[in-house]
């Protein structure tokens, strides 16, 4: 990974009076539902430990301070306006480590559904003649705009993973994201496969890490962590077709969170 | 009196991005705006062409704080469009989830966003050092709401399996018992919360306005109900377009909304003003003990109304658990669509009444969607209150006025990222 050495936080840096300085954290939010930064606030059991380990210097939803001397930036949301492009570039310039958090930031997520529509028409429909007041660009992931050091996937991010990744960063390590299919976690959790209940699921081509939480609560995976690097699309489509899903219904599954990673279905629908 | 300018870029301790702009010259307000600068997300357009069974999952993502509320309004609209009538047990479980979310959201607002103003600090973080017992209690109570939702629907932010027709997974009796136990154990913390907020004196501000909330027979309406206004009429949710109208204003990516008066308020205070007789006993008792008599005309008392609602939801949640536990032998079955048409749904979410409206084509795909968000409905009212407050504070230091304005905006608990998703432009 280029520039990896610069990712390592300097541990045990001494501040004034010989006290150990805590790494400084900034939390930033772009186009999103703010559910991922809320997940940070939802670390009820770990909150006091977290505040002991890092100094939060910028977190608009929770604190008044807005300092720019952060070491680590957690960035939530997709980039969808010119102003957001400038802001995320400024954050990248200041942070030693930039972590994109949540599906909007890492894969475009629900926000990317917008890109399936003509933007000018969309703006006209929503704001009418007022559209010119509200600049909006096609949805982009954070890494489409600035270099990203780590991506924490999920909609929303998972609390346990959040703690694990934060700990790794504090130890000067960059954890590796999962490259196992969701099905492995479904098996670990001893979920009954949804196909055995007559429900179609695209878990076999989706990156795990969430503990298969949706199948555990009876719902098919929505692929909010994105596809595996080398998903077996051909087999997945064959299975969905054999269960009677139309081409449009297969496309629904593949696009709800992943419109920025388009899958060409035409080879599988030659007839 | 000399003039002054206030310019708060991205007001803190609120959900989403908003600016407060005030310009006073020779004692006259020349400019006063609550600018909504959140990036628009265009949910209603994103829903177009999607299958009906995706709507709840997509619209939950409008807001991380009130995801359960959006899910409820979405499934109510979908069920109306699909000709589904959910069974009574499904409604009980939905109400229990709403209680969990409301407790979580109100506690987050009261302790984490509002309380720092009263302790004269910039966030809850310094309180961890000076008032650790307050912070620990706040975290425990916030966890309470989250845990209820996690046990019943996997998580609070974007619940799983809460669908038109029912639940993809019905909880086991022992899980409902666990929820009940968690609730019971929280009582001392809630009692301490009441004692704490009794000591916080809300700033004074009086302005007559219109209040809009849902009303349902025999209960303090959250799950659903008819649209009620303090200025009269009660009509079904499907009539929402006749009751209110939206307009685009250039400084707000969220449209402004009006009902009968020039502006109206929704949220905890509006609900309490319209439904206070239906509050459960403890909530009603505390309201009385605080010496408050509805209607609460001071917008800062939205904070107080949230406190009262936390108690109400707590009592209601225990009741829902008991009702669910009493239905032994119940087997949950999802109900299936009987038609594809148009449907509207209304539900009370932490910040006020929320409307979703979908039109489906013959394949069950959405051709048109509309969502009207509580914070959007409050915006015009917040600005009107800001005008009154600036007038009332004339002669004070601009810094003090700015602080007052920020506290006022915060009292409404605006959810700005939520509010920037509207379709259907209607100029009035």
């Amino acid at each position: 990974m280029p520039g990896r050495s610069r990712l390592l936080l300097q541990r045990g840096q001494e501040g004034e009076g010989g006290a150990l300085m805590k790494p400084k954290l900034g939390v930033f939010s772009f186009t999103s539902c703010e559910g991922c930064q809320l997940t940070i606030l939802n670390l009820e059991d770990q909150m006091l430990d977290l505040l002991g380990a890092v100094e939060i210097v910028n977190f608009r939803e929770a604190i008044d301070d807005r300092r720019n001397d952060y070491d680590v930036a957690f960035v939530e949301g997709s980039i969808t306006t010119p102003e957001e492009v400038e802001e995320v570039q400024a954050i990248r310039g200041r942070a030693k480590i930039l972590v994109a958090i949540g599906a909007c930031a890492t894969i475009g997520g629900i926000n990317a559904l917008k890109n399936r529509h003509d933007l000018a028409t969309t703006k006209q429909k929503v704001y009418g003649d007022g559209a010119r007041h509200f600049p909006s660009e096609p949805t982009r992931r954070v890494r489409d705009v600035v270099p990203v050091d780590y991506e924490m996937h999920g909609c929303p991010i998972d609390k346990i993973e959040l703690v694990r990744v934060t700990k790794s960063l504090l130890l000067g390590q960059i954890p590796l994201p999962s490259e196992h299919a969701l099905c492995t976690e479904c098996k670990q959790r001893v979920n009954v496969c949804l196909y055995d209940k007559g429900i179609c699921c695209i878990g076999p081509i989706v990156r795990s890490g969430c503990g298969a939480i949706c199948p555990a609560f009876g719902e098919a995976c929505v692929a909010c962590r994105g596809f595996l690097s080398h998903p077996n699309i051909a087999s997945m489509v064959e299975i969905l077709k054999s269960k009677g899903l139309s081409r449009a219904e297969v496309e629904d599954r593949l696009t709800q969170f992943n419109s920025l990673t388009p899958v060409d279905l035409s080879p599988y629908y030659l007839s | 009196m000399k003039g002054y300018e206030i310019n708060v870029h991205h007001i803190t301790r609120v959900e989403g991005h908003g600016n407060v702009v005030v310009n006073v010259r020779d004692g006259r307000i020349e400019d006063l705006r609550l600018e909504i600068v959140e990036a628009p997300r265009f949910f209603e357009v994103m829903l177009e062409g999607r299958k009906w069974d995706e709507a709840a999952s997509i619209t939950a993502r409008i807001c991380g704080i009130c995801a359960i509320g959006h899910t409820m309004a979405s499934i109510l609209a979908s069920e109306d469009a699909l000709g589904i009538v959910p069974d009574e047990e499904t409604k009980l479980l939905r109400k229990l989830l709403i209680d969990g979310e409301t407790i979580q959201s109100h506690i987050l607002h009261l302790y984490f966003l509002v309380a720092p103003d009263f302790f004269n600090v910039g966030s809850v973080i310094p309180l961890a050092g000076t008032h650790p017992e307050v912070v620990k209690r706040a975290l425990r109570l916030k966890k309470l709401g989250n845990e209820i939702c996690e046990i019943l629907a996997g998580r609070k932010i974007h619940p799983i399996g809460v669908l038109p027709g029912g639940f993809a997974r019905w909880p086991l009796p022992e899980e409902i018992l666990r929820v009940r136990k968690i609730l019971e154990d929280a009582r001392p913390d809630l009692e301490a919360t009441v004692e704490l907020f009794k000591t916080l004196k809300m700033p004074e501000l009086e302005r007559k306005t219109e209040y809009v909330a849902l009303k349902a027979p025999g209960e303090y309406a959250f799950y659903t109900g008819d649209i009620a206004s303090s200025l009269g009429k009660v009509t079904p949710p499907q009539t929402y377009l006749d009751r209110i109208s939206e307009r685009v204003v250039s400084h707000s990516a969220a449209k402004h909304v009006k009902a009968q008066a020039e502006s109206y308020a929704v949220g905890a205070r509006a609900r309490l003003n319209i439904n206070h007789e239906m509050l459960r006993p403890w909530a009603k008792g505390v309201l009385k003990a605080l010496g408050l008599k509805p209607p609460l005309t001071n917008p800062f008392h939205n904070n107080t109304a949230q406190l009262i609602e936390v108690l109400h939801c707590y009592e209601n949640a225990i009741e829902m658990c008991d009702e669910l536990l009493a239905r032994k032998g119940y087997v949950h079955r999802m109900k299936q669509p009987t038609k594809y048409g148009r449907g509207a749904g209304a539900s009370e979410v932490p910040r006020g009444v929320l409307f979703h409206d979908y039109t489906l084509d013959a394949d069950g795909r959405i051709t048109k969607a509309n969502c009207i968000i509580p914070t959007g409905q409050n915006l015009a009212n917040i600005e009107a209150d800001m005008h009154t407050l600036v007038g009332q504070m004339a002669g004070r230091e601009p810094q003090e006025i700015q602080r007052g304005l920020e506290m006022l905006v915060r009292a409404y608990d605006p959810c700005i990222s939520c509010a920037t998703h509207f379709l259907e432009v209607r100029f009035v």
Side-chain angles (χ1 to χ4, degrees):
Chain A
M1 193 186 289
R4 181 155 183 156
S5 57
R6 108 187 131 79
L7 305 179
L8 301 179
L9 280 179
Q10 285 176 304
R11 273 173 289 152
Q13 218 172 24
E14 282 192 13
E16 274 174 47
L20 284 185
M21 273 166 57
K22 293 191 273 188
K24 294 189 265 301
L25 174 69
V27 180
F28 302 92
S29 176
F30 295 100
T31 305
S32 67
C33 76
E34 307 211 344
C36 291
Q37 56 171 304
L38 190 58
T39 304
I40 300 174
L41 294 178
N42 281 354
L43 289 175
E44 291 103 357
D45 292 339
Q46 298 87 0
M47 182 60 75
L48 296 176
D49 290 340
L50 179 70
L51 292 177
V54 302
E55 185 185 358
I56 300 179
V57 297
N58 201 321
F59 191 167
R60 196 214 66 252
E61 185 164 345
I63 71 171
D64 285 354
D65 274 351
R66 283 182 248 196
R67 282 161 49 191
N68 284 326
D69 57 338
Y70 38 85
D71 303 301
V72 181
F74 281 179
V75 174
E76 161 196 69
S78 313
I79 306 302
T80 71
T81 68
E83 195 190 6
E84 289 184 340
V85 172
E86 280 177 29
E87 279 180 47
V88 78
Q89 283 169 344
I91 291 166
R92 173 70 275 185
R94 294 177 190 125
K96 294 193 185 87
I97 298 177
L98 189 151
V99 182
I101 62 168
C104 296
T106 64
I107 60 170
I110 292 285
N111 285 329
L113 286 173
K114 183 181 88 172
N115 295 14
R116 297 168 60 79
H117 299 265
D118 174 64
L119 193 56
T121 317
T122 297
K123 276 157 69 171
Q124 180 66 27
K125 268 188 189 168
V126 176
Y127 292 111
D129 295 339
R132 66 194 155 82
H133 298 297
F134 310 107
S136 181
E137 297 175 345
T139 295
R140 285 190 280 172
R141 315 164 183 95
V142 175
R143 73 172 137 94
D144 296 335
V145 184
V146 294
V148 166
D149 299 308
Y150 188 75
E151 291 186 330
M152 214 186 298
H153 294 286
C155 181
I157 53 168
D158 179 74
K159 266 201 236 184
I160 297 168
E161 188 179 12
L162 171 64
V163 172
R164 190 162 44 85
V165 170
T166 306
K167 270 193 212 163
S168 294
L169 292 173
L170 286 170
L171 294 169
Q173 295 171 335
I174 295 289
L176 290 173
S178 161
E179 263 303 332
H180 297 293
L182 181 79
C183 301
T184 57
E185 289 184 342
C186 234
K187 294 292 166 290
Q188 282 172 348
R189 199 165 175 157
V190 207
N191 288 339
V192 174
C193 180
L194 291 180
Y195 281 96
D196 291 336
K197 297 180 178 175
I199 299 169
C200 292
C201 178
I202 57 168
I205 57 167
V206 175
R207 187 187 281 130
S208 62
C210 56
I213 189 171
C214 289
F217 278 80
E219 233 187 302
C221 173
V222 292
C224 70
R225 292 179 164 255
F227 302 136
L228 293 164
S229 305
H230 302 285
N232 190 343
I233 299 288
S235 290
M236 189 76 257
V237 174
E238 278 318 308
I239 290 171
L240 295 173
K241 275 167 88 172
S242 75
K243 300 291 174 189
L245 261 62
S246 68
R247 180 174 176 167
E249 285 167 336
V250 172
E251 199 179 325
D252 289 341
R253 306 283 178 124
L254 299 177
T255 55
Q256 191 184 117
F257 276 85
N258 291 280
S259 292
L260 294 189
T261 314
V263 174
D264 180 13
L265 287 176
S266 49
Y268 315 112
Y269 292 88
L270 292 174
S271 53
Chain B
M1 189 193 101
K2 42 180 218 290
Y4 61 90
E5 272 179 40
I6 290 172
N7 209 325
V8 186
H9 182 71
H10 292 181
I11 177 169
T12 57
R13 286 183 277 130
V14 299
E15 199 280 350
H17 299 80
N19 303 336
V20 169
V21 177
V22 178
N23 194 340
V24 172
R25 288 270 163 278
D26 301 327
R28 266 195 48 236
I29 301 172
E30 294 203 335
D31 201 1
L32 184 153
R33 300 188 305 271
L34 173 60
E35 293 181 340
I36 300 301
V37 291
E38 190 76 14
R41 293 174 71 200
F42 306 105
F43 262 89
E44 292 87 343
V45 175
M46 298 198 295
L47 282 168
E48 281 178 24
R50 307 304 296 188
K51 267 290 265 297
W52 64 269
D53 58 0
E54 281 185 279
S57 165
I58 292 175
T59 56
R61 270 78 185 182
I62 292 176
C63 178
I65 297 187
C66 42
I68 286 183
H70 275 284
T71 303
M72 290 303 160
S74 179
I75 57 184
L76 285 162
S78 298
E79 287 177 345
D80 192 30
L82 297 163
I84 294 175
V85 181
D87 63 30
E88 287 308 310
E89 289 80 0
T90 297
K91 288 185 200 168
L92 292 172
L93 187 53
R94 287 176 182 172
K95 287 176 186 178
L96 181 51
L97 276 175
I98 291 170
D99 289 331
E101 170 162 281
T102 309
I103 292 171
Q104 197 280 150
S105 176
H106 284 357
I107 289 289
L108 174 73
H109 181 242
L110 290 169
Y111 272 105
F112 289 73
L113 311 186
V114 171
D117 285 324
F118 291 90
F119 287 96
N120 275 316
V121 288
S123 77
V124 78
I125 296 172
L127 297 180
T130 56
H131 299 75
E133 75 294 342
V134 173
V135 175
K136 283 183 188 159
R137 187 198 312 136
L139 289 167
R140 281 196 301 270
L141 282 173
K142 206 169 84 56
K143 190 178 167 194
L144 159 80
N146 281 334
E147 261 192 315
I148 295 172
C149 301
E150 278 163 22
I151 293 168
L152 303 173
R155 58 188 176 212
K156 204 210 73 65
I157 303 171
H158 312 328
I160 302 161
V162 187
L163 300 167
F167 285 79
R169 177 187 179 276
W170 192 259
L172 304 166
E174 53 264 38
E175 289 172 324
I176 295 172
L177 273 171
R178 220 173 96 217
V179 169
R180 199 186 185 290
K181 168 108 187 13
I182 292 170
L183 284 159
E184 291 238 299
D185 290 349
R187 192 163 177 115
D189 279 341
L190 288 172
E191 284 165 353
T193 302
V194 171
E195 291 311 309
L196 169 68
F197 280 87
K198 257 184 195 167
T199 63
L200 308 184
K201 200 174 152 14
M202 294 298 148
E204 298 289 335
L205 180 67
E206 296 294 325
R207 192 181 67 83
K208 272 206 173 125
T209 190
E210 181 182 1
Y211 303 100
V212 173
L214 296 178
K215 212 174 167 65
E219 64 183 19
Y220 188 98
F222 268 107
Y223 169 57
T224 193
D226 290 334
I227 307 165
S229 155
S230 56
L231 299 180
K233 290 197 289 186
V234 180
T235 62
Q238 288 78 5
T239 63
Y240 78 100
L241 283 176
D242 305 326
R243 299 293 302 272
I244 60 178
S245 49
E246 292 187 288
R247 65 186 190 276
V248 173
V249 292
S250 63
H251 64 268
S252 169
K255 291 173 196 168
H256 282 200
V257 186
K258 61 174 268 184
Q260 271 163 270
E262 267 314 299
S263 69
Y264 67 95
V266 297
R269 183 170 62 117
R271 283 192 289 263
L272 191 140
N273 284 348
I274 286 177
N275 288 316
H276 60 93
E277 279 169 9
M278 308 308 297
L279 281 170
R280 291 199 176 263
W282 186 20
K284 210 182 235 179
V286 170
L287 181 66
K288 207 172 159 197
L290 289 172
L292 293 171
K293 235 179 122 156
L296 307 179
T297 48
N298 176 356
F300 287 100
H301 276 315
N302 194 54
N303 297 326
T304 317
Q306 285 189 339
L307 173 70
I308 301 296
E309 285 194 344
V310 167
L311 306 179
H312 171 83
C313 288
Y314 167 84
E315 291 178 283
N316 197 64
I318 291 178
E319 171 84 26
M320 293 301 107
C321 289
D322 288 343
E323 286 222 28
L324 283 164
L325 288 165
R327 306 198 179 205
K328 293 196 175 71
Y330 167 73
V331 179
H332 183 68
R333 283 198 181 79
M334 293 280 282
K335 297 221 178 167
Q336 299 305 320
T338 59
K339 64 169 179 129
Y340 292 143
R342 179 179 175 186
S347 194
E348 286 285 348
V349 303
R351 288 153 195 81
V353 59
L354 166 67
F355 301 99
H356 280 218
D357 176 0
Y358 310 137
T359 306
L360 305 177
D361 68 12
D363 296 324
R365 289 187 182 271
I366 297 168
T367 56
K368 198 164 183 251
N370 190 15
C371 306
I372 296 192
I373 312 289
T375 295
Q377 299 175 66
N378 271 333
L379 288 175
N381 207 65
I382 301 176
E383 281 188 355
D385 280 345
M386 286 165 66
H387 267 276
T388 310
L389 186 66
V390 168
Q392 185 177 301
M393 293 184 81
R396 306 259 205 102
E397 287 301 313
Q399 242 178 333
E400 217 182 321
I401 299 173
Q402 171 176 332
R403 195 177 121 86
L405 287 170
E406 287 187 59
M407 283 176 71
L408 173 63
V409 173
R410 216 167 269 139
Y412 276 89
D413 195 7
C415 189
I416 295 171
S417 67
C418 223
T420 49
H421 322 111
F422 295 79
L423 184 83
E424 188 74 17
V425 188
R426 288 164 57 93
F427 293 96
V428 288

